Amino acid sequence: MYRLAPANPADDDFDFDFDDSLFDAAAREILDAGGYTPDYLVTPTGSALIGETFRVFDQAISKGLGESPDPAVAAALRENAFVFSGFKTHAEMEQVAALITDEKGNIRPFNEFLNDVKQLNQDYNHRYLRTEYNQAVQSAQMASKWADFERDKAHINLQYRTANDERVRASHRILHGVTLPVDDKFWQQYTPPNGWGCRCTVVAVPKDDADYPVQDSHGSIAKAETCFKTPKEKMFKENLAEKKKLFPSKHPYLPKGCGGCDRKLLSYNPRNPLCKACVAIEECKEKEMSSHSPTKWMTKTIQKVIEHKVCKTAITIADTPSVIVEYAKAHNVELGMSKLRISDEKIQHALRDVKKERGAALNTDELANIADILPLCDIYFDKSHQNFVFVYKTKDRMIKYVFQPNYNIKVDGVKETAIHFLTGGMIYTIPKDWEQMKKNSN
């Protein structure tokens, strides 16, 4: 499948093992059942096989994003990785089922079946997976960089660069040095990686710098089109980095022509195995993704804070409510990154002993479940301090979560500007200078 896999496996980034016993167990169950249907993916063994493939890609994502990933980028890549893992597993199991009988429909001897299944596992979970892992690392690196490019695009252009060695493909070498603005159409089709095993990258260069002259967009696209002609090369003609994806949409594992299907549209066909697989994969994904929720991160981080282990990490706990975005536009309030963020340092601040002694501190449950509580809050704008305040009322307590817009903070050694959690605690009245923006309707 991957003709352009790295020529020297010892020189690539594959640094883990795949648990072959999970594939063996799945193959045995498919044989015993006499065939495969996509419903198998939600069984314990089927979902475990998806999970093992996803584990490999999750390592690739971590390697590609580095030590201080943007949570939104990481979450999108992880979701894409899980869906890809599901359809990869579906393709594998269809191949296993096809090995049960010969071309005349007769049951094949067990030893023949076993030998072919072992080869299938080597293909899918070692040879192919090696290339897919390297693709995931490269895609994650570029997705991380693209978020920075978007933020700085008023001051930079982008330049295409190859690894500049003897292994670079001629079709990629011709693009080396192409320099264009971030929003240029060229990058929608030719942002690396541009093929299996591609080691090309894109770097930011200063705008209006004579050392980095901008080239003709149409000419650059025309030059690329003369080189990228095969179906495998054309498959990569999308900006995976901007879309926060690891793998191209036209990959053979993945369904086609879905048209944004939400399983209510005509594009969903319950008789299509890929559509049935999609439903099963979605069910598995929901279970997996829930284990990486903000609530679980908060719970673990609170425990670390209690143990005095502050590492200066942060997470996105929610998208910025539209009422805040609209208010900010109407009142010229700078927000920064349009996410509600919280760091372990601020968790430590909210749980500090002096507030506990006054009985004014948030308890650990109120902090751990902040992502679930915020949608239930009244929202105010504190005019005196220029902060947004979420107020949650119960029968015996009224608590606040204070977020400062356009807040500068250093996380994992990297500066970021966002709507950041500052503090929280118990309150007794609503100050007069708080302007109510949204009232909880529950």
Side-chain angles (χ1 to χ4, degrees):
M1 181 183 292
Y2 302 119
R3 181 173 58 85
L4 296 178
N8 181 9
D11 189 40
D12 66 20
D13 290 317
F14 192 84
D15 56 4
F16 53 83
D17 292 321
F18 182 86
D19 187 352
D20 293 328
S21 67
L22 291 172
F23 181 89
D24 294 343
R28 168 63 72 176
E29 291 179 356
I30 297 299
L31 176 63
D32 291 345
Y36 163 79
T37 63
D39 295 338
Y40 178 77
L41 297 175
V42 300
T43 66
T45 307
S47 59
L49 186 56
I50 295 175
E52 175 65 5
T53 306
F54 173 67
R55 179 187 65 80
V56 171
F57 293 139
D58 198 25
Q59 290 181 11
I61 292 169
S62 296
K63 185 167 188 173
L65 293 182
E67 296 182 356
S68 55
D70 182 306
V73 173
L77 294 178
R78 296 184 78 257
E79 182 168 345
N80 182 247
F82 193 91
V83 171
F84 185 86
S85 300
F87 282 109
K88 177 182 171 76
T89 303
H90 169 70
E92 291 176 71
M93 294 301 98
E94 284 194 321
Q95 291 285 312
V96 169
L99 293 173
I100 296 175
T101 57
D102 60 23
E103 62 274 7
K104 295 181 180 180
N106 299 317
I107 301 295
R108 301 175 66 217
F110 176 74
N111 285 341
E112 287 185 13
F113 169 81
L114 182 61
N115 288 336
D116 285 348
V117 162
K118 287 182 177 179
Q119 183 58 52
L120 190 70
N121 182 45
Q122 285 298 313
D123 287 341
Y124 273 90
N125 298 317
H126 294 273
R127 289 180 52 236
Y128 298 169
L129 189 59
R130 180 191 304 277
T131 301
E132 292 160 354
Y133 174 86
N134 288 333
Q135 166 72 18
V137 172
Q138 292 293 102
S139 293
Q141 288 175 344
M142 191 54 61
S144 179
K145 294 175 71 172
W146 195 265
D148 294 333
F149 296 158
E150 286 285 358
R151 184 189 64 232
D152 300 332
K153 64 183 178 181
H155 310 288
I156 63 170
N157 290 320
L158 301 182
Q159 185 174 85
Y160 193 105
R161 293 184 185 176
T162 68
N164 201 28
D165 60 22
E166 70 281 357
R167 291 171 55 192
V168 175
R169 282 159 259 186
S171 57
H172 296 200
R173 186 178 294 112
I174 199 171
L175 301 181
H176 184 77
V178 168
T179 306
L180 293 162
V182 176
D183 291 332
D184 192 271
K185 291 181 180 179
F186 176 88
W187 303 117
Q188 296 306 308
Q189 299 183 61
Y190 299 108
T191 295
N194 279 315
W196 305 115
C198 174
R199 296 169 297 140
C200 299
T201 189
V202 172
V203 298
V205 296
K207 266 191 176 180
D208 304 320
D209 190 318
D211 290 335
Y212 305 103
V214 174
Q215 294 160 6
D216 175 66
S217 175
H218 295 295
S220 297
I221 292 173
K223 182 167 59 175
E225 287 177 346
T226 63
C227 300
F228 291 79
K229 295 180 178 180
T230 70
K232 285 186 178 180
E233 290 171 331
K234 291 181 178 179
M235 177 169 60
F236 283 86
K237 289 179 66 173
E238 63 175 310
N239 191 334
L240 297 176
E242 184 178 40
K243 295 178 180 178
K244 301 180 182 67
K245 293 167 58 177
L246 300 176
F247 303 102
S249 304
K250 294 182 180 180
H251 190 285
Y253 294 155
L254 303 176
K256 311 297 184 294
C258 299
C261 173
D262 61 357
R263 297 203 291 275
K264 297 177 183 177
L265 304 178
L266 293 177
S267 52
Y268 175 71
N269 179 0
R271 292 185 294 276
N272 184 336
L274 280 172
C275 290
K276 294 179 70 175
C278 181
V279 175
I281 292 165
E282 184 70 20
E283 181 179 336
C284 294
K285 185 190 76 175
E286 289 302 315
K287 292 178 181 178
E288 173 64 28
M289 294 299 112
S290 66
S291 68
H292 297 272
S293 67
T295 300
K296 286 187 177 289
W297 184 92
M298 289 290 294
T299 301
K300 291 179 181 178
T301 303
I302 288 169
Q303 184 58 43
K304 289 181 180 178
V305 167
I306 292 173
E307 296 170 357
H308 304 290
K309 297 177 181 178
V310 176
C311 303
K312 294 187 177 181
T313 59
I315 192 175
T316 296
I317 52 176
D319 290 325
T320 303
S322 59
V323 65
I324 288 182
V325 175
E326 292 166 5
Y327 184 93
K329 287 181 180 179
H331 295 81
N332 296 317
V333 177
E334 291 290 330
L335 294 180
M337 184 169 62
S338 189
K339 300 284 183 182
L340 301 183
R341 299 270 279 157
I342 189 168
S343 68
D344 57 1
E345 283 189 308
K346 294 303 181 183
I347 291 173
Q348 183 183 49
H349 176 76
L351 293 175
R352 65 193 189 279
D353 291 337
V354 64
K355 293 193 76 171
K356 289 181 181 179
E357 291 168 2
R358 299 202 315 262
L362 295 173
N363 62 45
T364 54
D365 285 339
E366 288 165 345
L367 262 181
N369 294 292
I370 185 172
D372 297 321
I373 292 174
L374 290 184
L376 307 176
C377 292
D378 297 338
I379 304 177
Y380 296 83
F381 185 68
D382 179 354
K383 294 180 179 179
S384 297
H385 300 93
Q386 296 288 292
N387 293 327
F388 294 103
V389 186
F390 291 71
V391 176
Y392 181 59
K393 301 173 184 176
T394 65
K395 289 183 180 179
D396 54 0
R397 273 170 73 85
M398 182 164 63
I399 59 175
K400 67 176 181 180
Y401 301 93
V402 181
F403 287 81
Q404 182 174 326
N406 212 37
Y407 184 79
N408 295 311
I409 188 173
K410 190 178 247 188
V411 178
D412 294 321
V414 178
K415 291 182 180 179
E416 68 174 39
T417 303
I419 309 170
H420 246 278
F421 174 82
L422 281 186
T423 189
M426 186 173 179
I427 59 175
Y428 300 94
T429 60
I430 302 296
K432 292 182 180 179
D433 61 345
W434 286 13
E435 180 181 355
Q436 187 163 23
M437 299 159 47
K438 170 187 170 284
K439 188 171 180 62
N440 175 29
S441 58
N442 292 334

